[in-house]
Amino acid sequence: MALKEKDPVSGTNLTGHEWDGITELDTPVPWAARWALWGSIAIAAGYWVFYPSFPTVTDYAKGILGYSSRLEVVSSLKEAEAERRQTFAPFQSGDIASLAKDPSLEARYGAAISKLYEDNCAACHTAELTGQEGFPNLTDNHWLWSGTPEEIEYTIRYGINATHDETRMAQMLAFGADEMLEKPQVTEVVEFVLALSGQDHDALAVEAGEVVFEENCAACHGDDGRGGYENGAPDLGDDQWIYGGTRNDIYHSVYYGRQGVMSAWEGRLDDPQIRMLTLYLLWSAEDAPS
Amino acid sequence: MSTHHQKLERHSLGFAMTILVVASIGGLVEIAPLFTIENTVEKVEGMRPYTPLELAGRDIYVREGCYACHSQMIRTLRSDVERYGHYSLAAESMYDHPFQWGSKRTGPDLARIGGKYSDAWHVAHLEAPRELVEGSIMPGYAFLSEARLATGHLPASLKALSRAGVPYTKAQIENAEKDAARQADFEQNYEGELQDSYGDNVQVRDFDGAPGRLTEMDALVAYLQMLGTLADLETLNPQESSR
C-alpha cells in the first residue's frame, strides 16, 4: 500500500498497515500535548544550564546563576532575624530585671510570646503553665529555683539535670533503693510529709518521721520542709506536687528518688527568646491565683 | 512522518539497539551520581555509625511505621529551619540504610528531636500521647515498655551494614550485644568504653526509667535522643557546603 494514503471518510493519513483489508489511521498527538512535551524538555534544559544539576567527576554542575538553596535559606533567616529585631526590639538587649519592671510589655507582646511558649514548653508544662505529673506548675508562688528574673532565665537557658555543662542539678536521692534508710524509716518519714502538707496521716509514725526528716531531708528541703531556693528541693508543705501527693507517690519519691530533667534551651532558642519566655512566666505567675 | 518510524519498526536489530540506547540514558542519569556520591556528602565532624542500641531503636522506629507520620528531613526553607532547627545534611543520613527522610508530616519532623525533651517525657508520651499532649492523634506504644529488647541479631545487623559501607570495626560487631545492654546501664559503668569505641557523643544512661530491664523503649528513646545531635554543625562552613 502506498504511503500517505488518506482515509476517504475522515481525511486523516493512514499508517500504511493493513490486516485483511483493515487499515489504521495515523492520527497525530493533539498539538497541546506536543507543545507541553517539547516545552517541558526545553524548561528542563534551561534548569540544567541555570541551576545546579548533575554531578561531575570531582564536583557538580553549579549552573550559571550560582544558586544555592542552602545559602538562600541562610540569607532568608538573616532577614527574618532582622524583622524580629524590629518587632521585638525591647528584648534584644538590656538586662532582664529592668525589663521585668516595664508593665507595658505584657499587653503588647503577651499574645506573641504565648505562641513561643506553646511551641516549646507546653508539651511538658501544659499550655496553661499549670504543669502535670512529673512537670512542675509554673504559676504557683513557689519556685524551685527562686523566682527572680535572673534565676528563671538561668533555668531556661541551662536546664535542670540536662546535658549542658552549666545545668542546674536537682537530685532527690533514692533513700530506699540505695539503702540510706530502712523501709520502716521511709514509711515514717512519708507519714511526716503527709502531716506537713496537712493530709491524713498516721499520727503514731509522725514523731519518728520528724527525726528521720531532720537528719536526712532538712539539709535540702529546709528545717520546716518548706523547700530551699538553692537546690531545687520543692516545698513539701503546700498542696503543689511535682510527682503527686498521695501516700504512694510520696513513698515512691523517697524510696526511688527523683531526677526531673528539663532540657537546656540555649542553642534551640536565642537570647531574646529566652528573655521573652522568662518575662512570660513572670507575668503568668503574678496573674495566677496562688 | 511515518517513514522514519516504519524504517525503524521494520528492522528488528536496529530497533533493539535504539531501545537499548534510550533506556541506558535513563540508567545513566540514575546510576552515574552514585559513583560520585563522595562529592555530594559534605564533610562534617561528629558523624559516626549508630551504636547497637540506637540501631535497635531505629529498627523499632521502622517496624512501628513512625516514618509514615514523621519526616526526618529539615528542608532548606525558612519555615522548616525556624521550626525544627538547622537544615538536614546529606552526611546526617550517610549511615542510614535505608534513610528515614519520610514524605509526610502528620506529626512534626524528628530530625533534631534529640535533647529537646527529657527521656521521661518520651517514655510517657510514647506510652500515652494524649496524657501529655491534648488532642494528639499519635497512637500509643505502651507495649514497648514491657517488651524486652531482643539483641541476639545485632552482631549480624552490624555486619550486614558494614557490607553496605558503614565502617563498623570487628570489635564493634563482636561486642554488639553487650554494648546494647551497656548503653542503657543504670549505673553508667561502661560510659568510657562505649565512648572510646563509638565517640564522645554517645549518651549512656537508663533511658526508659526502669533500671535493670533492657526494653524496646530503652532502644527507641536512645535513638530519638541521638537524632540530630551527632553532626557538629558549628564546624560546618556554609560556603563550602553550599548546594
Side-chain angles (χ1 to χ4, degrees):
Chain A
M1 193 183 268
L3 292 175
K4 298 282 178 192
E5 194 175 328
K6 287 204 194 271
D7 170 44
V9 181
S10 62
T12 312
N13 285 341
L14 293 173
T15 58
H17 298 161
E18 192 214 311
W19 294 275
D20 289 343
I22 301 174
T23 55
E24 193 185 6
L25 294 183
D26 189 12
T27 314
V29 177
W31 64 268
R34 240 175 315 149
W35 273 101
L37 175 69
W38 288 109
S40 49
I41 290 175
I43 291 173
Y47 264 106
W48 187 293
V49 175
F50 288 109
Y51 285 96
S53 54
F54 205 70
T56 57
V57 180
T58 57
D59 204 0
Y60 63 96
K62 293 198 162 60
I64 56 179
L65 291 184
Y67 172 84
S68 151
S69 62
R70 290 182 172 183
L71 294 182
E72 176 130 317
V73 75
V74 168
S75 71
S76 79
L77 285 169
K78 284 214 182 89
E79 267 167 42
E81 165 110 24
E83 277 167 30
R84 261 201 303 267
R85 258 177 214 284
Q86 294 245 312
T87 319
F88 296 104
F91 307 99
Q92 296 308 313
S93 61
D95 70 311
I96 190 81
S98 46
L99 286 176
K101 290 198 195 91
D102 184 346
S104 68
L105 293 176
E106 179 173 5
R108 268 163 57 208
Y109 296 102
I113 303 176
S114 77
K115 286 281 164 278
L116 185 64
Y117 172 86
E118 279 167 26
D119 280 349
N120 293 287
C121 324
C124 291
H125 295 290
T126 76
E128 297 77 35
L129 294 88
T130 45
Q132 48 192 333
E133 196 186 326
F135 307 105
N137 188 332
L138 299 175
T139 62
D140 58 0
N141 276 339
H142 186 91
W143 292 90
L144 297 167
W145 296 96
S146 112
T148 67
E150 291 88 350
E151 295 296 323
I152 297 175
E153 189 182 16
Y154 189 98
T155 308
I156 300 173
R157 184 180 305 269
Y158 300 119
I160 303 171
N161 296 328
T163 45
H164 198 286
D165 290 340
E166 308 286 325
T167 194
R168 295 191 186 281
M169 303 300 281
Q171 300 287 329
M172 169 66 198
L173 310 172
F175 284 94
D178 288 347
E179 295 173 4
M180 284 176 283
L181 294 177
E182 306 282 333
K183 271 196 179 151
Q185 289 179 299
V186 175
T187 314
E188 286 157 8
V189 81
V190 168
E191 294 305 321
F192 175 73
V193 173
L194 284 169
L196 204 60
S197 51
Q199 306 190 63
D200 285 345
H201 55 272
D202 174 1
L204 293 175
V206 167
E207 211 168 303
E210 185 164 9
V211 178
V212 178
F213 192 89
E214 274 165 14
E215 286 171 2
N216 296 282
C217 323
C220 293
H221 289 280
D223 290 333
D224 54 0
R226 304 309 302 251
Y229 285 132
E230 280 80 46
N231 51 14
D235 184 346
L236 301 178
D238 59 9
D239 59 356
Q240 292 289 337
W241 298 92
I242 306 176
Y243 300 101
T246 68
R247 183 175 273 113
N248 266 344
D249 295 332
I250 298 176
Y251 188 91
H252 194 285
S253 295
V254 179
Y255 195 90
Y256 294 104
R258 302 281 192 188
Q259 287 83 36
V261 176
M262 147 115 154
S263 350
W265 292 90
E266 188 184 48
R268 273 181 198 276
L269 301 176
D270 59 19
D271 287 355
Q273 288 176 319
I274 291 177
R275 270 182 219 123
M276 288 189 252
L277 286 169
T278 305
L279 295 171
Y280 186 71
L281 297 192
L282 284 168
W283 299 331
S284 312
E286 282 163 5
D287 291 344
S290 55
Chain B
M1 126 164 219
S2 50
T3 43
H4 299 305
H5 254 253
Q6 269 179 345
K7 268 193 202 139
L8 202 59
E9 282 172 12
R10 287 172 187 187
H11 290 85
S12 56
L13 195 67
F15 196 48
M17 294 306 285
T18 316
I19 290 177
L20 208 67
V21 169
V22 172
S24 57
I25 292 176
L28 196 73
V29 170
E30 287 193 357
I31 296 166
L34 296 180
F35 288 100
T36 57
I37 193 93
E38 251 87 77
N39 308 333
T40 316
V41 180
E42 59 287 271
K43 309 261 175 307
V44 54
E45 313 244 316
M47 283 312 299
R48 58 160 173 81
Y50 300 135
T51 65
L53 188 66
E54 291 157 6
L55 188 67
R58 189 178 175 285
D59 289 344
I60 295 166
Y61 184 91
V62 174
R63 184 190 75 196
E64 298 303 335
C66 312
Y67 59 80
C69 291
H70 292 287
S71 59
Q72 288 187 26
M73 168 51 69
I74 304 170
R75 298 166 296 176
T76 46
L77 301 174
R78 172 172 154 183
S79 50
D80 261 31
V81 175
E82 295 236 317
R83 177 161 181 197
Y84 301 117
H86 196 290
Y87 55 78
S88 295
L89 304 176
E92 288 181 288
S93 32
M94 72 178 162
Y95 298 133
D96 270 337
H97 295 283
F99 60 76
Q100 295 302 317
W101 298 344
S103 56
K104 172 135 192 340
R105 285 181 184 156
T106 303
D109 187 275
L110 297 179
R112 304 220 179 274
I113 193 71
K116 181 177 179 194
Y117 298 119
S118 58
D119 299 345
W121 186 87
H122 279 300
V123 173
H125 178 251
L126 285 166
E127 284 182 348
R130 274 157 299 285
E131 293 281 309
L132 284 184
V133 181
E134 214 179 290
S136 170
I137 53 161
M138 173 161 144
Y141 297 88
F143 58 91
L144 295 175
S145 300
E146 305 300 323
R148 273 185 181 279
L149 183 70
T151 55
H153 64 283
L154 283 172
S157 294
L158 263 66
K159 200 162 179 187
L161 283 169
S162 78
R163 290 213 180 125
V166 182
Y168 284 114
T169 65
K170 237 175 142 179
Q172 285 172 335
I173 293 173
E174 271 164 25
N175 294 332
E177 264 186 271
K178 251 188 289 171
D179 283 349
R182 286 172 166 185
Q183 193 179 347
D185 175 32
F186 177 64
E187 318 239 302
Q188 306 179 324
N189 285 337
Y190 300 98
E191 187 165 19
E193 271 106 323
L194 278 162
Q195 293 187 341
D196 286 346
S197 172
Y198 282 91
D200 288 343
N201 51 22
V202 177
Q203 305 177 47
V204 179
R205 57 181 184 264
D206 175 38
F207 293 93
D208 67 351
R213 272 161 47 94
L214 183 63
T215 62
E216 296 194 336
M217 189 64 92
D218 273 315
L220 186 57
V221 175
Y223 173 65
L224 291 173
Q225 294 289 36
M226 172 277 304
L227 281 179
T229 64
L230 298 184
D232 184 354
L233 300 167
E234 280 172 14
T235 62
L236 189 78
N237 178 338
Q239 284 295 338
E240 258 171 43
S241 69
S242 72
R243 271 155 178 71

